[in-house]
Amino acid sequence: MVSILLPLLLASYVIARVYIDKSNEETGILINNTLTSLSRSLSGYLNELDQLTLIPYYNDDFIYALKVSASESYDTMSKYQLIGITNMLESQLRFIRFTRKDIMSTLIVSDNKPLFYSTNNPMNDIVKDYEFANTDWYQNALQANGNAVFVNPHKQDYFTKTKDVTVFSVARSIREIPSKRPISVIIADANTHVLQNMFKDIDFHVPSLIALLDQDRNIVYANHDIPPGLVKLNPDSRSVIRDGNQAYLAVKQTIEPYNWQIIVLLSYTQLERKTLWVYLTSLLLYIVCLTVAFMFYRMLSGKVMGPVNDIIRTMRKVEDGDLTVRYHSQTQDEFDIIGRSLNSMIAELKQKIETEYVLVLNQRNSEYKALQAQIQPHFLFNTLSGFIALNQIGEKELLEKSIIDLTVLLRYILNHPEMTTLEEELRIIGKYCSLQQLRFGPRLLVSISCDSCAKPFKVPKLLLQPLVENAIIHGMEPLNEACQLTIAVEKIIHEGHHFICIRIEDNGVGFDPQHQDKPGSIGITNTVERLNLCFPGSLFGLESAVGSGTRITIHIPEVEPA
């Protein structure tokens, strides 16, 4: 499960993170491109309005007519002169209004005196006694020294019929050339539909607020109501700002050369929800994959556990004394080999019990008991239980190695000749200890060594296994701590004779050698009997004390076995 869980979880997170980063990058490109295009359109539009207020300077007669209209002599002129001046002003201002559908009206005033106006509503008229000189746009236009001043959306309160209409305006003071003395102020009113049309089709795939700010960071236009405090914060681009429970990602674009700004406030909550949706989708995919992997694991585990459980049931019946039971093969794998070996062992045990145990001499009886003591059903039961544990934790390689070790051990017991070399005997002891380590884990530490010159020496098979088993079961198992088992074989010379010295030593609980019912006495007795039968003159030494471990030393004369 760990081998699937962690990589899949990491892969799901990486995929989600890459998708989110890619989506954010594409959203950023979309926003930048949109704002760049919008800023260019607004810049062009503001430039067109700026140019409209310069039309009076294109005609000297127009400037002259304005000077006359603003002078005190205007009221004393003849009707013919007044009509000429009026026609001059009207021709220019109507040209502006008729050529630009967005221009609703144009108005020229000098102090509080309206000099001329043109509007698309023929019923419109100037509000009587309107204080033009006190308006902000009038004062700003005079202070701008002939430069255009853009006026935020406001009501046309200086006209009688359209006083409640909201317009967006540009004003400029008209000055005498070359003295630059201000003559009047011209203001052109445009409807806000142009700005609405520019902003209405903008979509960033998440709820957003878009505002157009002038050079003083006042809101000129917004697609929705925006709290003024949000834009007054003058947030950095790509920064997160908050308004109560609402959070926004601010993106800005400057409109050159007017130093105006377009600010977009994207709903940060919605952006986080999109991110959360990606993570939830990845989590769902992870759960689905994990479920499929778990089902696949359960299916494969069932194929392994079926044969193991059958082998365990067979071994339990053998432990109860039923030697007629047999394992029925279900697969063609390592468990089939173990099962067939188990059946062979049971059949051989049954045959030996029925024939040799009763009929053969004491020597053969001793050898049989020694063999019987080697691989007992409870050892196989414990080993197979270890296989179950390995399978459950997913240690596949260790499970396969342990199965092979058990197979080699069973084949060695059943098919190997009665005599073997010390090298082969120690190899089997190593596999036996490896299987025991499945049960005891780090509590069992094993050290096996053998002189190269002693490896070819012939000994009865499974001569040392009962002694090793006693050391593990009776010496180390009662202790709940790590114990060292040492098996060493060397060639020595004692009193002029060559001996093979075998030492089996542990630092377990130990026992009193004088006690008649000491643990493992049957295994020791069988080993001594087999040793004396094969190697007359051999020596068997036992040293032990309670709490000090046990040492067994075997000296075998270097002669051919009997």
Side-chain angles (χ1 to χ4, degrees), residues 53-77:
T53 58
L54 290 175
I55 288 181
Y57 289 104
Y58 298 157
N59 192 320
D60 293 337
D61 294 336
F62 191 93
I63 298 294
Y64 174 76
L66 286 179
K67 289 172 62 177
V68 172
S69 298
S71 66
E72 295 179 355
S73 61
Y74 180 77
D75 295 332
T76 61
M77 290 184 177

PDB file of all heavy atoms in Angstrom, residues 53-77:
ATOM      1  N   THR A  53     -11.618  69.478 -28.985  1.00  0.00           N
ATOM      2  CA  THR A  53     -11.621  70.822 -28.368  1.00  0.00           C
ATOM      3  C   THR A  53     -10.583  71.756 -28.978  1.00  0.00           C
ATOM      4  O   THR A  53     -10.506  72.931 -28.603  1.00  0.00           O
ATOM      5  CB  THR A  53     -11.379  70.693 -26.853  1.00  0.00           C
ATOM      6  OG1 THR A  53     -10.130  70.030 -26.640  1.00  0.00           O
ATOM      7  CG2 THR A  53     -12.493  69.878 -26.195  1.00  0.00           C
ATOM      8  N   LEU A  54      -9.770  71.242 -29.882  1.00  0.00           N
ATOM      9  CA  LEU A  54      -8.788  72.097 -30.568  1.00  0.00           C
ATOM     10  C   LEU A  54      -9.337  72.698 -31.853  1.00  0.00           C
ATOM     11  O   LEU A  54      -8.668  73.519 -32.512  1.00  0.00           O
ATOM     12  CB  LEU A  54      -7.524  71.294 -30.887  1.00  0.00           C
ATOM     13  CG  LEU A  54      -6.665  70.892 -29.700  1.00  0.00           C
ATOM     14  CD1 LEU A  54      -5.524  69.987 -30.171  1.00  0.00           C
ATOM     15  CD2 LEU A  54      -6.101  72.128 -28.991  1.00  0.00           C
ATOM     16  N   ILE A  55     -10.552  72.326 -32.266  1.00  0.00           N
ATOM     17  CA  ILE A  55     -11.115  72.804 -33.544  1.00  0.00           C
ATOM     18  C   ILE A  55     -11.222  74.322 -33.611  1.00  0.00           C
ATOM     19  O   ILE A  55     -10.969  74.931 -34.670  1.00  0.00           O
ATOM     20  CB  ILE A  55     -12.488  72.128 -33.778  1.00  0.00           C
ATOM     21  CG1 ILE A  55     -12.271  70.647 -34.134  1.00  0.00           C
ATOM     22  CG2 ILE A  55     -13.272  72.827 -34.874  1.00  0.00           C
ATOM     23  CD1 ILE A  55     -13.547  69.885 -34.408  1.00  0.00           C
ATOM     24  N   PRO A  56     -11.563  74.992 -32.497  1.00  0.00           N
ATOM     25  CA  PRO A  56     -11.613  76.475 -32.604  1.00  0.00           C
ATOM     26  C   PRO A  56     -10.299  77.095 -33.054  1.00  0.00           C
ATOM     27  O   PRO A  56     -10.299  78.156 -33.699  1.00  0.00           O
ATOM     28  CB  PRO A  56     -11.956  76.905 -31.172  1.00  0.00           C
ATOM     29  CG  PRO A  56     -12.732  75.751 -30.615  1.00  0.00           C
ATOM     30  CD  PRO A  56     -12.098  74.530 -31.211  1.00  0.00           C
ATOM     31  N   TYR A  57      -9.186  76.463 -32.751  1.00  0.00           N
ATOM     32  CA  TYR A  57      -7.904  77.046 -33.142  1.00  0.00           C
ATOM     33  C   TYR A  57      -7.603  76.860 -34.626  1.00  0.00           C
ATOM     34  O   TYR A  57      -6.638  77.429 -35.143  1.00  0.00           O
ATOM     35  CB  TYR A  57      -6.775  76.411 -32.332  1.00  0.00           C
ATOM     36  CG  TYR A  57      -6.770  76.820 -30.876  1.00  0.00           C
ATOM     37  CD1 TYR A  57      -7.229  75.951 -29.897  1.00  0.00           C
ATOM     38  CD2 TYR A  57      -6.307  78.069 -30.497  1.00  0.00           C
ATOM     39  CE1 TYR A  57      -7.231  76.314 -28.559  1.00  0.00           C
ATOM     40  CE2 TYR A  57      -6.300  78.441 -29.155  1.00  0.00           C
ATOM     41  CZ  TYR A  57      -6.766  77.567 -28.184  1.00  0.00           C
ATOM     42  OH  TYR A  57      -6.753  77.922 -26.869  1.00  0.00           O
ATOM     43  N   TYR A  58      -8.420  76.075 -35.325  1.00  0.00           N
ATOM     44  CA  TYR A  58      -8.177  75.852 -36.743  1.00  0.00           C
ATOM     45  C   TYR A  58      -8.713  76.987 -37.628  1.00  0.00           C
ATOM     46  O   TYR A  58      -8.467  77.004 -38.828  1.00  0.00           O
ATOM     47  CB  TYR A  58      -8.820  74.533 -37.182  1.00  0.00           C
ATOM     48  CG  TYR A  58      -8.262  73.310 -36.481  1.00  0.00           C
ATOM     49  CD1 TYR A  58      -8.999  72.142 -36.392  1.00  0.00           C
ATOM     50  CD2 TYR A  58      -6.991  73.339 -35.918  1.00  0.00           C
ATOM     51  CE1 TYR A  58      -8.487  71.024 -35.757  1.00  0.00           C
ATOM     52  CE2 TYR A  58      -6.484  72.237 -35.285  1.00  0.00           C
ATOM     53  CZ  TYR A  58      -7.229  71.075 -35.198  1.00  0.00           C
ATOM     54  OH  TYR A  58      -6.725  69.966 -34.561  1.00  0.00           O
ATOM     55  N   ASN A  59      -9.453  77.921 -37.034  1.00  0.00           N
ATOM     56  CA  ASN A  59     -10.113  78.958 -37.827  1.00  0.00           C
ATOM     57  C   ASN A  59      -9.963  80.287 -37.079  1.00  0.00           C
ATOM     58  O   ASN A  59     -10.502  80.457 -35.969  1.00  0.00           O
ATOM     59  CB  ASN A  59     -11.600  78.603 -38.012  1.00  0.00           C
ATOM     60  CG  ASN A  59     -12.268  79.480 -39.059  1.00  0.00           C
ATOM     61  OD1 ASN A  59     -12.006  80.684 -39.132  1.00  0.00           O
ATOM     62  ND2 ASN A  59     -13.166  78.880 -39.836  1.00  0.00           N
ATOM     63  N   ASP A  60      -9.248  81.215 -37.700  1.00  0.00           N
ATOM     64  CA  ASP A  60      -9.058  82.525 -37.067  1.00  0.00           C
ATOM     65  C   ASP A  60     -10.374  83.270 -36.901  1.00  0.00           C
ATOM     66  O   ASP A  60     -10.576  84.020 -35.925  1.00  0.00           O
ATOM     67  CB  ASP A  60      -8.084  83.377 -37.878  1.00  0.00           C
ATOM     68  CG  ASP A  60      -6.674  82.794 -37.852  1.00  0.00           C
ATOM     69  OD1 ASP A  60      -6.371  82.025 -36.887  1.00  0.00           O
ATOM     70  OD2 ASP A  60      -5.883  83.098 -38.764  1.00  0.00           O
ATOM     71  N   ASP A  61     -11.287  83.121 -37.872  1.00  0.00           N
ATOM     72  CA  ASP A  61     -12.592  83.776 -37.780  1.00  0.00           C
ATOM     73  C   ASP A  61     -13.361  83.290 -36.564  1.00  0.00           C
ATOM     74  O   ASP A  61     -14.118  84.036 -35.940  1.00  0.00           O
ATOM     75  CB  ASP A  61     -13.414  83.541 -39.046  1.00  0.00           C
ATOM     76  CG  ASP A  61     -12.780  84.213 -40.264  1.00  0.00           C
ATOM     77  OD1 ASP A  61     -12.024  85.199 -40.048  1.00  0.00           O
ATOM     78  OD2 ASP A  61     -13.022  83.757 -41.397  1.00  0.00           O
ATOM     79  N   PHE A  62     -13.180  81.991 -36.253  1.00  0.00           N
ATOM     80  CA  PHE A  62     -13.875  81.421 -35.096  1.00  0.00           C
ATOM     81  C   PHE A  62     -13.366  82.071 -33.810  1.00  0.00           C
ATOM     82  O   PHE A  62     -14.148  82.454 -32.937  1.00  0.00           O
ATOM     83  CB  PHE A  62     -13.634  79.903 -35.056  1.00  0.00           C
ATOM     84  CG  PHE A  62     -14.504  79.181 -34.059  1.00  0.00           C
ATOM     85  CD1 PHE A  62     -15.714  78.634 -34.431  1.00  0.00           C
ATOM     86  CD2 PHE A  62     -14.107  79.073 -32.736  1.00  0.00           C
ATOM     87  CE1 PHE A  62     -16.508  77.983 -33.515  1.00  0.00           C
ATOM     88  CE2 PHE A  62     -14.891  78.417 -31.817  1.00  0.00           C
ATOM     89  CZ  PHE A  62     -16.097  77.874 -32.192  1.00  0.00           C
ATOM     90  N   ILE A  63     -12.042  82.267 -33.713  1.00  0.00           N
ATOM     91  CA  ILE A  63     -11.465  82.920 -32.542  1.00  0.00           C
ATOM     92  C   ILE A  63     -11.955  84.367 -32.444  1.00  0.00           C
ATOM     93  O   ILE A  63     -12.294  84.862 -31.355  1.00  0.00           O
ATOM     94  CB  ILE A  63      -9.934  82.879 -32.592  1.00  0.00           C
ATOM     95  CG1 ILE A  63      -9.425  81.415 -32.565  1.00  0.00           C
ATOM     96  CG2 ILE A  63      -9.322  83.665 -31.437  1.00  0.00           C
ATOM     97  CD1 ILE A  63      -9.722  80.708 -31.282  1.00  0.00           C
ATOM     98  N   TYR A  64     -12.009  85.012 -33.596  1.00  0.00           N
ATOM     99  CA  TYR A  64     -12.491  86.406 -33.615  1.00  0.00           C
ATOM    100  C   TYR A  64     -13.943  86.492 -33.158  1.00  0.00           C
ATOM    101  O   TYR A  64     -14.318  87.372 -32.377  1.00  0.00           O
ATOM    102  CB  TYR A  64     -12.346  86.994 -35.028  1.00  0.00           C
ATOM    103  CG  TYR A  64     -12.953  88.353 -35.168  1.00  0.00           C
ATOM    104  CD1 TYR A  64     -12.308  89.488 -34.650  1.00  0.00           C
ATOM    105  CD2 TYR A  64     -14.179  88.517 -35.796  1.00  0.00           C
ATOM    106  CE1 TYR A  64     -12.882  90.760 -34.770  1.00  0.00           C
ATOM    107  CE2 TYR A  64     -14.753  89.783 -35.917  1.00  0.00           C
ATOM    108  CZ  TYR A  64     -14.108  90.903 -35.392  1.00  0.00           C
ATOM    109  OH  TYR A  64     -14.697  92.145 -35.492  1.00  0.00           O
ATOM    110  N   ALA A  65     -14.765  85.557 -33.658  1.00  0.00           N
ATOM    111  CA  ALA A  65     -16.179  85.548 -33.268  1.00  0.00           C
ATOM    112  C   ALA A  65     -16.323  85.342 -31.771  1.00  0.00           C
ATOM    113  O   ALA A  65     -17.185  85.952 -31.128  1.00  0.00           O
ATOM    114  CB  ALA A  65     -16.921  84.468 -34.032  1.00  0.00           C
ATOM    115  N   LEU A  66     -15.493  84.490 -31.178  1.00  0.00           N
ATOM    116  CA  LEU A  66     -15.555  84.258 -29.732  1.00  0.00           C
ATOM    117  C   LEU A  66     -15.147  85.520 -28.973  1.00  0.00           C
ATOM    118  O   LEU A  66     -15.747  85.886 -27.953  1.00  0.00           O
ATOM    119  CB  LEU A  66     -14.641  83.096 -29.333  1.00  0.00           C
ATOM    120  CG  LEU A  66     -15.120  81.699 -29.703  1.00  0.00           C
ATOM    121  CD1 LEU A  66     -14.098  80.663 -29.275  1.00  0.00           C
ATOM    122  CD2 LEU A  66     -16.465  81.389 -29.054  1.00  0.00           C
ATOM    123  N   LYS A  67     -14.108  86.218 -29.458  1.00  0.00           N
ATOM    124  CA  LYS A  67     -13.658  87.431 -28.795  1.00  0.00           C
ATOM    125  C   LYS A  67     -14.757  88.495 -28.819  1.00  0.00           C
ATOM    126  O   LYS A  67     -15.002  89.181 -27.808  1.00  0.00           O
ATOM    127  CB  LYS A  67     -12.399  87.966 -29.478  1.00  0.00           C
ATOM    128  CG  LYS A  67     -11.178  87.099 -29.235  1.00  0.00           C
ATOM    129  CD  LYS A  67     -10.007  87.568 -30.088  1.00  0.00           C
ATOM    130  CE  LYS A  67      -9.606  88.995 -29.743  1.00  0.00           C
ATOM    131  NZ  LYS A  67      -8.417  89.433 -30.519  1.00  0.00           N
ATOM    132  N   VAL A  68     -15.413  88.566 -29.945  1.00  0.00           N
ATOM    133  CA  VAL A  68     -16.491  89.559 -30.059  1.00  0.00           C
ATOM    134  C   VAL A  68     -17.647  89.185 -29.152  1.00  0.00           C
ATOM    135  O   VAL A  68     -18.234  90.026 -28.467  1.00  0.00           O
ATOM    136  CB  VAL A  68     -16.941  89.690 -31.522  1.00  0.00           C
ATOM    137  CG1 VAL A  68     -18.197  90.562 -31.630  1.00  0.00           C
ATOM    138  CG2 VAL A  68     -15.821  90.275 -32.373  1.00  0.00           C
ATOM    139  N   SER A  69     -18.005  87.893 -29.124  1.00  0.00           N
ATOM    140  CA  SER A  69     -19.142  87.449 -28.309  1.00  0.00           C
ATOM    141  C   SER A  69     -18.882  87.676 -26.834  1.00  0.00           C
ATOM    142  O   SER A  69     -19.802  87.925 -26.050  1.00  0.00           O
ATOM    143  CB  SER A  69     -19.435  85.973 -28.572  1.00  0.00           C
ATOM    144  OG  SER A  69     -19.796  85.767 -29.906  1.00  0.00           O
ATOM    145  N   ALA A  70     -17.622  87.569 -26.430  1.00  0.00           N
ATOM    146  CA  ALA A  70     -17.290  87.730 -25.015  1.00  0.00           C
ATOM    147  C   ALA A  70     -17.088  89.186 -24.637  1.00  0.00           C
ATOM    148  O   ALA A  70     -17.024  89.508 -23.436  1.00  0.00           O
ATOM    149  CB  ALA A  70     -16.014  86.925 -24.692  1.00  0.00           C
ATOM    150  N   SER A  71     -17.007  90.080 -25.624  1.00  0.00           N
ATOM    151  CA  SER A  71     -16.731  91.487 -25.335  1.00  0.00           C
ATOM    152  C   SER A  71     -18.012  92.216 -24.949  1.00  0.00           C
ATOM    153  O   SER A  71     -19.131  91.734 -25.172  1.00  0.00           O
ATOM    154  CB  SER A  71     -16.094  92.155 -26.559  1.00  0.00           C
ATOM    155  OG  SER A  71     -17.013  92.202 -27.625  1.00  0.00           O
ATOM    156  N   GLU A  72     -17.861  93.430 -24.377  1.00  0.00           N
ATOM    157  CA  GLU A  72     -19.003  94.230 -23.953  1.00  0.00           C
ATOM    158  C   GLU A  72     -19.734  94.851 -25.134  1.00  0.00           C
ATOM    159  O   GLU A  72     -20.918  95.232 -25.042  1.00  0.00           O
ATOM    160  CB  GLU A  72     -18.530  95.330 -23.008  1.00  0.00           C
ATOM    161  CG  GLU A  72     -17.954  94.802 -21.708  1.00  0.00           C
ATOM    162  CD  GLU A  72     -17.481  95.909 -20.799  1.00  0.00           C
ATOM    163  OE1 GLU A  72     -17.534  97.078 -21.243  1.00  0.00           O
ATOM    164  OE2 GLU A  72     -17.073  95.612 -19.662  1.00  0.00           O
ATOM    165  N   SER A  73     -19.053  94.926 -26.289  1.00  0.00           N
ATOM    166  CA  SER A  73     -19.679  95.546 -27.471  1.00  0.00           C
ATOM    167  C   SER A  73     -20.642  94.606 -28.178  1.00  0.00           C
ATOM    168  O   SER A  73     -21.273  94.994 -29.164  1.00  0.00           O
ATOM    169  CB  SER A  73     -18.589  96.004 -28.444  1.00  0.00           C
ATOM    170  OG  SER A  73     -17.817  94.895 -28.884  1.00  0.00           O
ATOM    171  N   TYR A  74     -20.724  93.381 -27.719  1.00  0.00           N
ATOM    172  CA  TYR A  74     -21.575  92.397 -28.405  1.00  0.00           C
ATOM    173  C   TYR A  74     -23.036  92.853 -28.412  1.00  0.00           C
ATOM    174  O   TYR A  74     -23.748  92.670 -29.409  1.00  0.00           O
ATOM    175  CB  TYR A  74     -21.431  91.045 -27.708  1.00  0.00           C
ATOM    176  CG  TYR A  74     -22.275  89.936 -28.324  1.00  0.00           C
ATOM    177  CD1 TYR A  74     -21.895  89.309 -29.510  1.00  0.00           C
ATOM    178  CD2 TYR A  74     -23.475  89.556 -27.728  1.00  0.00           C
ATOM    179  CE1 TYR A  74     -22.676  88.319 -30.069  1.00  0.00           C
ATOM    180  CE2 TYR A  74     -24.252  88.558 -28.288  1.00  0.00           C
ATOM    181  CZ  TYR A  74     -23.854  87.930 -29.462  1.00  0.00           C
ATOM    182  OH  TYR A  74     -24.631  86.938 -30.024  1.00  0.00           O
ATOM    183  N   ASP A  75     -23.483  93.451 -27.297  1.00  0.00           N
ATOM    184  CA  ASP A  75     -24.892  93.822 -27.189  1.00  0.00           C
ATOM    185  C   ASP A  75     -25.249  95.025 -28.075  1.00  0.00           C
ATOM    186  O   ASP A  75     -26.429  95.293 -28.351  1.00  0.00           O
ATOM    187  CB  ASP A  75     -25.233  94.149 -25.741  1.00  0.00           C
ATOM    188  CG  ASP A  75     -25.098  92.933 -24.853  1.00  0.00           C
ATOM    189  OD1 ASP A  75     -25.274  91.805 -25.380  1.00  0.00           O
ATOM    190  OD2 ASP A  75     -24.830  93.074 -23.634  1.00  0.00           O
ATOM    191  N   THR A  76     -24.235  95.760 -28.560  1.00  0.00           N
ATOM    192  CA  THR A  76     -24.496  96.952 -29.392  1.00  0.00           C
ATOM    193  C   THR A  76     -24.380  96.680 -30.881  1.00  0.00           C
ATOM    194  O   THR A  76     -24.537  97.593 -31.683  1.00  0.00           O
ATOM    195  CB  THR A  76     -23.522  98.077 -28.999  1.00  0.00           C
ATOM    196  OG1 THR A  76     -22.178  97.613 -29.251  1.00  0.00           O
ATOM    197  CG2 THR A  76     -23.660  98.415 -27.512  1.00  0.00           C
ATOM    198  N   MET A  77     -24.081  95.435 -31.230  1.00  0.00           N
ATOM    199  CA  MET A  77     -23.912  95.100 -32.654  1.00  0.00           C
ATOM    200  C   MET A  77     -25.253  95.016 -33.355  1.00  0.00           C
ATOM    201  O   MET A  77     -26.298  94.751 -32.740  1.00  0.00           O
ATOM    202  CB  MET A  77     -23.175  93.776 -32.791  1.00  0.00           C
ATOM    203  CG  MET A  77     -21.724  93.847 -32.397  1.00  0.00           C
ATOM    204  SD  MET A  77     -20.892  92.270 -32.705  1.00  0.00           S
ATOM    205  CE  MET A  77     -19.248  92.695 -32.245  1.00  0.00           C
TER     206      MET A  77
END
